Amino acid sequence: GGPASLSRFRGALVAAVLGDCVGGEFEGAEEVPMESVLQHLSSLDDDTKGNGILEYSDDTAMARCVVQSLLTRAGFDERDMARRFAKEYSASPGRGYGSGVIQVLKKLSSPQLSDVYRPARDQFNGRGSFGNGGAMRAAPFALAFPDPADVKKFAHRGAMLTHSCSLGYNGAVLQALAVHLSLQGALDLPLKFISTLIIEMEDVESNEATLNDARILKEAEKPFCERLHRVSDLMHRSKVSIEEVISELGNGIAALHSVPTAIFCVLHCLQPRECLPENYGGLERTIAYSLALGGDTDTIACMAGAIAGAHYGIEAIPQSWIKCCEGAEDADMNAERLHMLYQQTSQGG
Ligand code: R7I
Ligand code: MG
Ligand code: MG
């Protein structure tokens, strides 16, 4: 489809769910042989399975809250979104949430709470979380707002409800921007895609809060920019091993060690790769490759899935995968609603 087509919206939201559901199998594993990944993925083609056997985790649970809130309020409403996070957590606390964010979600359910950003600011001795929980649910912001300035602003605020450290919320901004660009067809020119992201993040990371957090955490002056430059360096190499990707970019639970990694997975899998089956299309390659990195596989595959799905569109996603994953069909319907909201906004109505 063309820029911002319905197929791209559906691809983005559905592939994010698939990444989360199929990635759950390997979350936390230190080494994941590609053979195990391919075996896991081919088991999804088995007709006797299906009907949502693979459950989604916190990544999708929170993304669904974001989607419902954006749709119901026809825009960003922090109190509504916070209430939905809290309600979802108390209804299904066993979705594998990060151990810190649980405290925030419990506090957000208090009716006496006047500042919904407060619980997040109190995390980790007042510096806030740098986990990837803001980024893992950031894709819907790109599907709700056509203007990139809005995508950045609301992805930031949406993440701040649980992640007030700049190394957490800037990861959400980066992820939302990557989905935004991919929806526009920007992955047709991969080198321009990465350089556009670097230019955007130069601006996003040039403020006191970011420079301060980076200093305290002993990271580069502009941590996400630095990582995106590493992504760009890896793209220019003819051969890159999984070990090198992990050591250069990371595969962990921090946004800094997973959002640039997810972006790299998408870029690396734009073309066929020796380690991946020839009959795989780009979307399947991206998901498989993300899982083979090990570490925070559900989240990296979820984020890579959103970016890749926005590029390849819904037609690239195997039906058998959709059938196996809880919430995939729901995501498809919600993508259509978000597409309508997006179009209303672009027409200024
Ligand atoms: O970021 P968050 O929502 O976790 C998301 C991850 C995804 O992989 C999901 O799939 C799920 O498995 O969890 O949850 P947080 O609790 O805010 O952050 C995750 C973890 O990162 C924390 O439990 C800490 O171990 C670590 N962390 C920090 N550690 C020290 N100092 C995050 N921020 C800090 C920090 O400032
Ligand atoms: Mg998870
Ligand atoms: Mg995870």
Side-chain angles (χ1 to χ4, degrees):
S5 66
L6 175 58
S7 168
R8 288 179 186 269
F9 275 62
R10 295 171 64 197
L13 219 53
V14 172
V17 175
L18 298 189
D20 179 19
C21 290
V22 304
E25 173 82 6
F26 304 107
E27 193 182 18
E30 239 176 70
E31 262 182 53
V32 182
M34 186 59 89
E35 206 186 328
S36 310
V37 170
L38 299 180
Q39 205 167 23
H40 180 49
L41 290 175
S42 67
S43 82
L44 308 180
D45 297 330
D46 183 345
D47 269 351
T48 60
K49 302 200 174 167
N51 302 321
I53 48 158
L54 296 177
E55 288 180 5
Y56 62 73
S57 79
D58 58 328
D59 304 50
T60 301
M62 295 195 88
R64 286 162 63 99
C65 296
V66 171
V67 168
Q68 287 304 342
S69 182
L70 292 172
L71 286 173
T72 315
R73 309 298 302 153
F76 181 67
D77 174 338
E78 61 260 20
R79 299 193 71 83
D80 181 77
M81 200 171 281
R83 199 178 47 79
R84 287 173 194 274
F85 289 156
K87 212 170 149 205
E88 167 61 34
Y89 173 70
S90 77
S92 313
R95 294 271 188 193
Y97 287 85
S99 55
V101 77
I102 290 171
Q103 303 310 316
V104 179
L105 297 172
K106 286 178 181 161
K107 291 181 191 168
L108 285 177
S109 68
S110 161
Q112 278 97 47
L113 188 70
S114 58
D115 176 4
V116 289
Y117 294 107
R118 179 71 195 267
R121 282 200 303 270
D122 290 343
Q123 291 294 93
F124 298 100
N125 300 315
R127 204 194 47 247
S129 170
F130 55 59
N132 55 20
M136 73 188 183
R137 60 174 195 257
F141 292 100
L143 306 186
F145 302 104
D147 181 348
D150 288 336
V151 174
K152 284 187 271 189
K153 177 167 68 183
F154 297 123
H156 174 193
R157 292 191 194 163
M160 286 280 278
L161 291 169
T162 51
H163 291 68
S164 78
C165 176
S166 63
L167 276 85
Y169 62 72
N170 283 340
V173 172
L174 173 57
Q175 167 65 9
L177 276 172
V179 176
H180 168 82
L181 290 176
S182 179
L183 275 182
Q184 311 302 319
L187 279 167
D188 290 339
L189 299 170
L191 295 176
K192 182 152 182 254
F193 177 88
I194 195 73
S195 65
T196 305
L197 281 179
I198 291 173
I199 292 167
E200 287 280 358
M201 293 309 289
E202 282 283 349
D203 178 48
V204 169
E205 293 196 294
S206 65
N207 57 65
E208 258 324 297
T210 300
L211 298 172
N212 208 29
D213 285 339
R215 207 158 35 227
I216 295 167
L217 291 163
K218 299 194 167 60
E219 294 292 345
E221 191 179 22
K222 294 182 179 178
F224 284 98
C225 287
E226 190 236 13
R227 296 269 159 169
L228 289 172
H229 280 290
R230 292 190 197 183
V231 170
S232 172
D233 291 345
L234 289 174
M235 285 169 75
H236 286 90
R237 300 249 306 267
S238 56
K239 253 198 150 103
V240 185
S241 72
I242 297 247
E243 291 73 27
E244 287 171 299
V245 177
I246 297 170
S247 77
E248 286 293 306
L249 302 176
N251 62 1
I253 212 166
L256 188 62
H257 303 153
S258 51
V259 182
T261 311
I263 291 169
F264 176 76
C265 289
V266 178
L267 291 164
H268 187 70
C269 293
L270 286 170
Q271 43 189 303
R273 294 288 171 183
E274 229 171 71
C275 63
L276 291 160
E278 276 175 35
N279 65 321
Y280 268 22
L283 191 281
E284 292 149 293
R285 288 196 296 268
T286 305
I287 300 274
Y289 190 80
S290 306
L291 303 197
L293 295 182
D296 195 0
T297 48
D298 65 334
T299 305
I300 294 174
C302 170
M303 297 190 294
I307 303 165
H311 176 63
Y312 299 106
I314 190 72
E315 294 79 11
I317 302 178
Q319 267 302 320
S320 57
W321 291 21
I322 297 181
K323 277 203 196 122
C324 286
C325 295
E326 181 193 11
E329 277 165 6
D330 266 12
D332 200 1
M333 290 187 297
N334 283 330
E336 200 166 335
R337 298 189 182 112
L338 283 168
H339 188 247
M340 275 161 57
L341 176 65
Y342 182 102
Q343 287 193 312
Q344 280 165 17
T345 317
S346 7
Q347 284 151 19

